[in-house]
Amino acid sequence: MNTSQVILLVEDNPSDEELTLRALKSYNVANNVVVVHDGVEALEYMFGEGKYAGRDTSEQPHLVLLDLKLPKIGGLGVLERMRADPRTRLVPVVVLTSSSQDDDIVSSYELGANSYVRKPVSFEEFTEAVRQLGVYWLLVNEPPPR
Amino acid sequence: MKFWRFLLSMPVLLAGGYVLVSMLWIVFSDRLVLWFAGGDLARVAAMQTWKGLGFVVATGVVIFMILLAWKRHQARATMRIRQVNKQRLEDHDRIEQELNAFVHAVSHDLRAPLRGLAGFSDALREEYGEALDDKARHYLNRIRDAALDMSAFIEGLLHLSKLTRRPLQPVEIDMIALVHEVMDDIRRRAPREGVEVNIGVLPVVTGDREMLHAALDALLDNAWKFTGKMERACIECDASDTGGRVVYSLRDNGVGFDMRFAEQAFRPFQRMHPRDEYPGLGLGLVTAERVIARHRGWIRIESVPDEGTLVQFALGGRS
């Protein structure tokens, strides 16, 4: 698998972060995972601001795994700003969250999420979901031209 | 008691008082007129005319004032009712908002720690499984199972609240088709041979399709589950018209339960049988009851241990 592809994981819960990383790594889906812990940090990474000032913003992640419930700016806010900016407009975003509330799902798709996945509580199912996501979005799916 | 209250009520007092005062006025004023006029009949007639006019004007003014006072009183009462209603609506909206926020929080925040529990106990077993003995692995399984159980409970509650809190979307429903559909789902979920399912004639009904699907699923799944250990399992579903209301009956010949505990049956997570014998969350009857209540109907259950259970329900309107 092409390990140069970057996944941006936006996740504030340390348990979920570790479990997601473990799942991604156990299937060698990606070795290149950037983890940010809130909405502001996610936007700073993508737009090369604040902590990530000077980062080459022409290099955008190949996939963003976005939690919805995040400190400061929530997942939906991040999504909205990503879709409004030409640099991140086309980056595939998978909402990976605990909630399966209809309004969360609808808002995510309305704001331009490419996929919505509910994190299963069972670790087996969770690992399988993350593996499938990695395989699909990094291997099967044809990404937008850069 | 009722009579006295009627006699002392405002309209009776007003009318009675009016008649009495008027009669006294006529008797005394006529004497007064005679005394003033001193026997001159032409003067008596003129004075009587003025007296009559004066009386009409005076009673007119009194009636006008009473009506005015009554109208003000009514307006104040209406205002009070409106205020109370407004307050209630506000309270209702606030509670609804709080409940939504609560459900949202449960949906988001309560599942994450469980994922941690289940996930890390699995990770521990995967990575250090060989270093652990059977007992330790057993404990790890218990931790994971407990986390998954709790997750299932949360899931069940969320599903229930989602199902029963949304606005009703009534459509015409072919109940026979719906029951067949639900039975097919159940057969797929828990395949089993040798169950006799008889579905009688069920009239078309107006109701919320998704909700009624869930209610029937809960009830028929119970029937399916609790006949699991019977040699000749039989599930019957029919309807009868009782006094203009269609009553649906679901009968099974399953394990049943003791009617002494019937009251508990409609409580969330309340079970009649051990979970390892008959799996489930204990939300079936609660779901059915909520859905039927939303349809302004009723549900009742009768059961005899080891003989079977009869569930009857009716929905609010006939179609």
Side-chain angles (χ1 to χ4, degrees):
Chain A
M1 207 172 274
N2 185 354
T3 51
S4 70
Q5 301 197 46
V6 173
I7 295 180
L8 179 66
L9 174 63
V10 193
E11 174 64 75
D12 70 315
N13 183 314
S15 289
D16 281 357
E17 177 194 330
E18 201 178 326
L19 291 173
T20 311
L21 289 177
R22 194 171 182 277
L24 285 171
K25 279 182 185 139
S26 68
Y27 287 101
N28 288 321
V29 173
N31 292 326
N32 215 346
V33 184
V34 176
V35 184
V36 289
H37 299 104
D38 62 57
V40 172
E41 213 187 326
L43 291 171
E44 283 179 353
Y45 175 82
M46 283 183 279
F47 301 144
E49 294 157 3
K51 204 168 129 186
Y52 294 95
R55 200 186 76 83
D56 180 6
T57 54
S58 68
E59 279 293 313
Q60 289 297 342
H62 291 73
L63 174 65
V64 177
L65 296 177
L66 183 64
D67 194 4
L68 285 188
K69 203 151 186 268
L70 295 166
K72 296 176 201 170
I73 297 178
L76 294 176
V78 172
L79 193 55
E80 196 173 4
R81 273 164 239 210
M82 279 180 74
R83 289 309 183 229
D85 192 292
R87 289 169 292 180
T88 52
R89 198 164 55 91
L90 299 175
V91 172
V93 174
V94 172
V95 174
L96 185 62
T97 186
S98 287
S99 149
S100 64
Q101 293 233 115
D102 288 350
D103 48 350
D104 282 335
I105 300 175
V106 170
S107 311
S108 297
Y109 281 121
E110 270 174 359
L111 291 172
N114 300 81
S115 181
Y116 189 104
V117 176
R118 191 181 184 212
K119 296 177 193 163
V121 167
S122 149
F123 185 56
E124 248 168 67
E125 289 169 36
F126 182 73
T127 309
E128 180 57 21
V130 171
R131 187 190 69 83
Q132 282 184 16
L133 278 178
V135 168
Y136 178 77
W137 286 104
L138 297 184
L139 288 181
V140 179
N141 185 54
E142 191 72 42
R146 293 180 173 248
Chain B
M1 200 55 212
K2 242 182 187 166
F3 174 75
W4 284 109
R5 205 176 289 158
F6 167 74
L7 212 61
L8 289 172
S9 68
M10 194 185 68
V12 176
L13 282 181
L14 270 180
Y18 172 77
V19 168
L20 202 71
V21 168
S22 306
M23 275 163 36
L24 286 174
W25 165 253
I26 288 167
V27 172
F28 282 104
S29 63
D30 279 0
R31 297 202 169 182
L32 221 60
V33 164
L34 276 180
W35 182 70
F36 264 120
D40 183 342
L41 285 180
R43 271 183 83 189
V44 169
M47 280 178 82
Q48 284 289 20
T49 304
W50 282 110
K51 190 175 70 106
L53 286 174
F55 186 78
V56 168
V57 170
T59 49
V61 168
V62 169
I63 288 173
F64 174 74
M65 281 167 71
I66 288 173
L67 281 178
L68 205 65
W70 180 71
K71 204 181 151 198
R72 278 197 193 130
H73 173 78
Q74 283 299 81
R76 266 200 303 275
T78 316
M79 191 94 93
R80 258 200 306 278
I81 290 169
R82 273 203 199 126
Q83 264 167 5
V84 168
N85 281 348
K86 198 171 151 233
Q87 185 71 43
R88 276 195 196 143
L89 269 179
E90 278 168 8
D91 285 352
H92 179 269
D93 285 354
R94 191 175 45 75
I95 290 168
E96 184 72 27
Q97 267 175 19
E98 278 171 17
L99 192 60
N100 277 334
F102 181 72
V103 168
H104 203 256
V106 168
S107 183
H108 272 279
D109 299 330
L110 246 55
R111 292 177 80 246
L114 295 174
R115 197 160 39 244
L117 268 178
F120 288 112
S121 48
D122 272 358
L124 185 60
R125 203 183 34 184
E126 260 177 42
E127 286 171 31
Y128 299 94
E130 281 164 23
L132 299 171
D133 62 8
D134 282 351
K135 204 167 184 185
R137 276 199 294 271
H138 167 77
Y139 289 153
L140 277 179
N141 284 343
R142 283 289 167 130
I143 293 174
R144 191 207 41 207
D145 290 350
L148 293 183
D149 276 359
M150 179 150 172
S151 160
F153 284 139
I154 293 174
E155 217 69 357
L157 274 185
L158 283 178
H159 178 70
L160 183 64
S161 99
K162 201 166 161 180
L163 181 75
T164 51
R165 276 172 54 232
R166 66 182 181 80
L168 224 58
Q169 294 162 3
V171 288
E172 296 252 298
I173 300 170
D174 177 352
M175 282 294 265
I176 301 180
L178 187 62
V179 170
H180 276 288
E181 190 184 310
V182 170
M183 277 316 304
D184 288 348
D185 283 354
I186 292 171
R187 280 210 179 87
R188 218 168 308 144
R189 254 188 343 238
R192 214 169 87 217
E193 290 297 316
V195 185
E196 193 187 328
V197 180
N198 297 320
I199 300 167
V201 177
L202 310 172
V204 172
V205 75
T206 305
D208 186 300
R209 201 166 191 290
E210 200 188 326
M211 285 194 204
L212 286 178
H213 187 288
L216 282 172
D217 191 284
L219 296 175
L220 289 167
D221 188 67
N222 275 348
W224 186 263
K225 200 161 52 185
F226 293 118
T227 51
K229 291 182 180 161
M230 298 297 141
E231 247 169 51
R232 287 188 52 84
C234 181
I235 298 170
E236 276 170 31
C237 183
D238 55 38
S240 59
D241 198 319
T242 345
R245 227 176 180 196
V246 180
V247 177
Y248 297 87
S249 303
L250 302 174
R251 224 172 259 108
D252 69 63
N253 63 347
V255 280
F257 61 87
D258 193 327
M259 282 301 280
R260 274 182 299 167
F261 310 120
E263 234 176 78
Q264 297 175 13
F266 291 98
R267 285 190 206 143
F269 301 130
Q270 187 66 52
R271 315 176 51 84
M272 296 290 176
H273 305 281
R275 195 162 169 198
D276 46 0
E277 268 181 60
Y278 297 97
L281 290 174
L283 285 176
L285 282 177
V286 184
T287 305
E289 195 218 0
R290 297 267 170 91
V291 167
I292 288 162
R294 286 292 310 271
H295 285 82
R296 301 183 181 285
W298 52 257
I299 181 169
R300 66 169 164 250
I301 188 162
E302 270 170 51
S303 193
V304 180
D306 296 320
E307 279 184 26
T309 304
L310 167 68
V311 177
Q312 289 187 306
F313 67 90
L315 302 172
R318 264 190 86 195
S319 64

